[in-house]
């Protein structure tokens, strides 16, 4: 059987203006105008490898977690699968269809939820969803019905559906984003930090819903997060990404077991994460008492 | 083989209606602002019309018509250009562009919807201005050939949509500089196309630009139809130029846009946060 989603030696790099932080600090300051002129004359760019030689396969109906700190390349990887970025090298396929050469076919079977709810904020939830439904070629009424069902299922109050989204909380907006993605009945769902910034209750609701969708529709899910509990709760397998590279990939249990010490103590996923990503590795070592 | 939903041409046109409806909803939501813009536009057209009231009585009708035709035509064509060119800038600003572009539709569906909206929006705005003009000035259209004028407008719409499509690429490849660039382009077209004056008054070094601007031919032909009652036959040279420009500019604008989109997907210009 072919994999639902497959990534083979995927690589993506960007060209970035050099010393971005430095420049950002001076923004608004007096040096800014002079710097702009300098940029025009000699724009210095450096290469940023956002995704480096990443390979993995996701089975149909699997929830595959990508765990990584900020800037580790999670969103870039999601965008490569979502046909929003073209890989520099390597191949990415969704149900056997290549994200570059069969772009439309891939788009037909995926949808994506990103960390920031991107909407026409002046429009209401229903207006935004109707737009998406029509664009996807769904019957407008059918799309609206599906969207309303999903919103209700997520505990979204009916009277809030016609309020401009700019007046709703982030948690509410994220639920609309999830409704937008699921309305099109994707066979593969890309969730890029879907619960980041949500309150604990909304977070729970979203997580429960992800599990439910997989249960009822056999949807294949790729989920990025930096929330260990979420990863453990939802994912069948977890890949840890660091600096654009996969540094580990296994089931949560095996991942933890592989880091057990000589006395057989199994660390928490958090400890494994710190160890793999090098963040706080010293603290971690000290805690282990070497 | 079973047919995938949304595959026929009719389905595609239906899908493109998403853009029209969305923009209509946006306009409706900010109806207050829209009213302000329209009032401003109406006042602008009237102000220009009043310039023509000055001077000898016998030729007043001609002068007012000359100016008002310029203001109305420019209002329509620039609305057309602006709505298409700014569609991408707007989506970038809202952050929705990845979602709109990820829909399983050829880009042509999206662009067709944007163009349809541009035509509709430009038409309604211009009609409101026209109504105000006819109330304010007793212009006689006795000798005018209205059909020829409308045909001119339709022919030049294609060229302006094509330019809008090409300009829409700018915010795609340069998020900061793209939108200002489309405004500068629009301003240059206004300057060189003889919207309120004959292009012969332009300095010699600017004149060549007037030859490549489709608006030059639109205004010349529409004025000939409105002021002298020129028919389609008399206007044929200008109409053919306009149609030819449209036939060249629409596919070219679309190709430029598609190339820009590929570039954006390669370099990560579409969006980077979230
Ligand atoms: N469109 C882009 N243009 C330039 N650099 C980018 C772009 N997207 C991401 N990057 C860079 O690539 C790296 C990985 O970013 P990203 O994939 O967003 O990480 P994450 O989602 O894990 O926080 C970062 O250094 C980021 O600055
Ligand atoms: Mg991210």
């Amino acid at each position: 059987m072919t994999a639902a989603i497959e990534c083979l030696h995927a690589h993506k790099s960007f060209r970035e203006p050099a010393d971005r932080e430095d420049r950002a600090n001076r923004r608004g300051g007096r040096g800014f105008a002079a710097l702009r002129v300098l940029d025009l004359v000699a724009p210095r760019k450096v290469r940023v490898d956002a995704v480096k030689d990443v390979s993995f396969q996701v089975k149909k109906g699997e929830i595959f977690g990508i765990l990584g700190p900020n800037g580790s390349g999670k969103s870039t990887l999601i965008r490569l699968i979502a046909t929003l970025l073209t890989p520099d090298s390597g191949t990415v396929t969704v149900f056997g269809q290549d994200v570059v050469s069969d772009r439309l076919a891939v788009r037909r079977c995926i949808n994506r939820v990103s960390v920031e709810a991107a909407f026409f904020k002046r429009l209401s939830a229903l207006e935004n969803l109707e737009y998406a439904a029509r664009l996807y070629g769904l019957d407008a009424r059918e799309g609206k019905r599906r969207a309303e069902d999903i919103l209700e299922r997520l505990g979204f109050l009916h009277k809030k559906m016609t309020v401009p989204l700019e007046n709703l909380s982030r948690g509410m907006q994220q639920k609309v984003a999830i409704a937008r993605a699921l309305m099109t009945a994707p066979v593969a769902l890309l969730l890029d930090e879907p619960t980041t910034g949500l309150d604990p209750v909304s977070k729970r609701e979203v997580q429960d819903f992800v599990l439910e969708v997989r249960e009822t529709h056999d949807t294949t899910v790729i989920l990025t997060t930096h929330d260990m509990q979420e990863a453990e709760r939802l994912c069948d397998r977890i890949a840890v990404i660091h600096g654009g590279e996969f540094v580990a990939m296994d089931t949560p249990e095996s991942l933890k077991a592989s880091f057990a010490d000589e006395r057989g103590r199994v660390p928490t996923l958090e400890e494994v994460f710190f160890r793999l990503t090098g963040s706080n590795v010293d603290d971690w070592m000290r805690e282990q008492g070497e | 083989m079973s047919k995938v939903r949304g595959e026929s041409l009719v389905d595609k046109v239906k899908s493109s209606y998403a853009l029209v409806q969305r923009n209509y909803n946006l306009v409706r939501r900010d109806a207050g602002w829209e009213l302000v813009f329209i009032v401003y536009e109406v006042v602008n057209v009237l102000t220009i019309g009043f310039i023509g009231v000055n001077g000898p009585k016998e030729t007043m009708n001609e002068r007012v018509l000359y100016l008002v035709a310029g203001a109305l035509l420019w209002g329509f064509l620039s609305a057309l250009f602006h709505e298409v060119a700014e569609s991408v800038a707007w989506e970038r600003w809202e952050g929705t562009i990845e979602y709109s572009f990820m829909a399983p539709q050829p880009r042509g569906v999206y662009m067709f919807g944007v163009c349809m909206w541009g035509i509709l929006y430009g038409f309604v705005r211009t009609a409101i201005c026209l109504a105000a003009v006819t109330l304010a000035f007793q212009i006689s259209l006795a000798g005018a050939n209205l059909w020829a004028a409308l045909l001119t407008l339709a022919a030049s719409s294609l060229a302006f949509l094509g330019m809008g499509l090409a300009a829409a690429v700018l915010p795609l490849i340069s998020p900061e500089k793209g939108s200002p660039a489309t405004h500068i382009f629009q301003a240059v077209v206004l300057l060189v196309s003889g919207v309120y004056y004959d292009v012969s008054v332009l300095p010699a070094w600017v004149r060549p630009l007037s030859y490549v601007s489709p608006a030059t031919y639109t205004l010349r032909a529409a004025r000939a139809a409105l002021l002298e009652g020129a028919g389609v036959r008399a206007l044929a040279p200008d109409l053919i130029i306009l149609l030819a420009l449209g036939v060249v500019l629409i596919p070219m604008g679309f190709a430029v846009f598609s190339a820009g989109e590929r570039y954006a997907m390669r370099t990560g210009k579409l969006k980077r946060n979230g």
Side-chain angles (χ1 to χ4, degrees):
Chain A
M1 213 206 84
T2 58
I5 296 171
E6 184 177 54
C7 233
L8 278 180
H9 306 295
H11 195 103
K12 185 74 210 169
S13 56
F14 299 107
R15 295 189 62 77
E16 283 275 82
D19 46 49
R20 193 151 47 89
E21 294 80 13
D22 182 42
R23 207 170 295 165
N25 290 340
R26 297 164 81 157
R27 194 150 291 185
R30 242 194 243 124
F32 187 47
L35 256 147
R36 284 284 289 272
V37 175
L38 250 175
D39 283 351
L40 284 175
V41 182
R44 275 181 306 146
K45 297 271 179 90
V46 290
R47 201 175 98 169
V48 178
D49 293 306
V51 169
K52 286 191 245 178
D53 192 26
V54 166
S55 299
F56 64 94
Q57 290 192 334
V58 182
K59 289 193 294 288
K60 186 168 193 313
E62 187 177 11
I63 298 183
F64 185 78
I66 299 174
L67 199 56
N70 285 332
S72 56
K74 300 184 296 296
S75 299
T76 303
L77 188 51
I78 291 283
R79 284 193 172 97
L80 289 174
I81 305 166
T83 74
L84 292 167
L85 283 173
T86 35
D88 296 337
S89 60
T91 52
V92 181
T93 56
V94 179
F95 290 98
Q97 299 158 121
D98 188 85
V99 292
V100 179
S101 55
D102 302 323
R103 196 179 300 147
L104 278 185
V106 171
R107 286 178 179 174
R108 262 185 219 110
C109 50
I110 60 167
N111 216 324
R112 159 175 172 257
V113 175
S114 59
V115 59
E116 64 186 49
F119 287 108
F120 291 89
K121 297 261 169 39
R122 299 283 296 143
L123 299 183
S124 71
L126 284 184
E127 284 168 332
N128 271 290
L129 292 170
E130 191 172 3
Y131 166 64
R134 282 190 195 278
L135 204 55
Y136 271 76
L138 297 178
D139 176 60
R141 208 173 311 145
E142 163 75 7
K144 189 175 165 190
R145 196 188 53 74
R146 279 198 216 169
E148 275 174 328
D149 283 353
I150 299 167
L151 285 178
E152 267 164 29
R153 168 65 194 74
L154 284 167
F156 195 98
L157 293 177
H158 214 276
K159 64 166 194 263
K160 296 276 184 191
M161 291 182 195
T162 50
V163 174
L165 280 177
E166 61 188 355
N167 299 336
L168 300 184
S169 69
R170 226 189 80 63
M172 300 272 268
Q173 293 186 13
Q174 198 63 349
K175 286 175 185 175
V176 181
I178 289 168
R180 170 172 62 188
L182 286 169
M183 180 175 67
T184 64
V187 278
L189 186 59
L190 306 171
L191 302 174
D192 192 0
E193 299 187 29
T195 62
T196 297
L198 295 193
D199 62 273
V201 179
S202 302
K203 202 174 230 187
R204 259 284 150 164
E205 286 171 331
V206 169
Q207 291 173 354
D208 289 342
F209 192 60
V210 172
L211 289 172
E212 181 188 316
V213 167
R214 191 264 296 269
E215 214 53 56
T216 52
H217 291 82
D218 205 20
T219 308
T220 308
V221 180
I222 293 188
L223 173 130
T224 78
T225 184
H226 43 225
D227 179 329
M228 313 293 159
Q229 275 147 14
E230 176 165 293
E232 252 185 309
R233 180 160 182 245
L234 298 182
C235 304
D236 302 313
R237 278 191 305 147
I238 294 173
V240 179
I241 187 171
H242 181 56
E245 285 174 295
F246 272 13
V247 289
M249 174 163 59
D250 216 325
T251 61
E253 292 69 36
S254 309
L255 211 51
K256 286 184 288 186
S258 66
F259 279 87
D261 60 19
E262 306 91 69
R263 281 160 293 167
R265 193 191 88 81
V266 176
T268 64
L269 188 59
E270 194 157 31
E271 286 166 336
V272 172
F273 179 76
F274 283 150
R275 177 89 166 252
L276 283 166
T277 58
S279 36
N280 267 335
V281 66
D282 293 340
D283 297 358
W284 190 82
M285 295 293 254
R286 217 172 305 122
E287 269 169 39
Q288 297 308 297
E290 283 193 292
Chain B
M1 218 189 94
S2 76
K3 218 159 104 37
V4 185
R5 187 169 40 176
E7 283 298 80
S8 79
L9 193 62
V10 177
D11 288 332
K12 294 224 184 308
V13 173
K14 270 193 195 160
S15 292
S16 72
Y17 177 68
L19 276 305
V20 176
Q21 187 188 42
R22 182 201 78 193
N23 285 352
Y24 171 72
N25 283 336
L26 283 166
V27 164
R28 206 181 44 162
R29 178 75 66 193
D30 288 318
W33 272 113
E34 206 54 42
L35 193 70
V36 172
F37 292 146
I38 291 201
V39 167
Y40 184 90
E41 181 86 5
V42 165
V43 171
N44 183 43
V45 173
L46 293 183
T47 310
I48 289 161
F50 278 119
I51 298 173
V53 177
N54 264 327
K57 259 257 161 313
E58 315 79 66
T59 50
M60 190 184 89
N61 191 55
E62 201 185 311
R63 276 196 314 277
V64 172
L65 199 52
Y66 183 95
L67 288 168
V68 160
L72 289 175
L73 285 169
W74 179 249
F76 178 75
L77 295 176
S78 59
L80 213 58
F81 173 79
H82 190 262
E83 288 299 309
V84 176
E86 290 291 287
S87 57
V88 168
W90 176 254
E91 291 227 38
R92 280 199 70 103
W93 187 74
E94 284 277 25
T96 50
I97 189 155
E98 287 187 322
Y99 288 90
S100 291
F101 278 16
M102 219 178 76
Q105 300 285 358
R107 192 58 59 240
V109 171
Y110 180 90
M111 284 310 179
F112 183 75
V114 167
C115 289
M116 285 304 110
W117 164 257
I119 292 173
L120 207 69
Y121 181 77
F123 195 82
V124 170
R125 270 180 76 150
T126 309
I128 292 172
C129 290
L130 182 65
V133 162
T134 44
L135 285 176
F137 307 105
Q138 274 78 51
I139 313 174
S140 157
L141 286 171
N145 188 337
L146 287 175
W147 287 115
L150 270 179
L151 197 67
T152 307
L153 198 59
S156 55
S157 293
L158 296 178
F160 270 76
L161 290 174
M163 292 198 296
L165 288 174
V169 82
L170 294 171
L172 205 58
I173 54 179
S174 174
E176 297 88 20
K177 298 175 200 121
S179 195
T182 62
H183 283 91
I184 291 171
F185 177 80
Q186 203 174 330
V188 171
V189 176
L190 171 65
L191 176 74
V192 304
S193 307
V195 175
Y196 303 118
Y197 40 77
D198 195 88
V199 287
S200 60
V201 304
L202 290 171
W205 61 274
V206 185
R207 275 302 292 278
L209 284 176
S210 73
Y211 299 131
V212 291
S213 164
T216 307
Y217 305 98
T218 313
L219 287 150
R220 189 165 73 192
R223 283 193 174 120
L226 292 173
L227 295 165
E228 295 147 30
V232 174
R233 189 180 301 249
L235 299 179
D238 281 346
L239 288 178
I240 288 170
I241 291 177
L242 283 172
L243 281 176
L245 280 171
V247 165
V248 172
L249 283 173
I250 286 202
M252 201 186 81
F254 191 69
V256 167
F257 187 87
S258 302
E261 188 182 345
R262 282 195 299 278
Y263 170 81
M265 284 168 57
R266 206 173 64 236
T267 54
K269 289 284 197 298
L270 222 46
K271 191 168 190 290
R272 62 171 300 162
N273 305 320

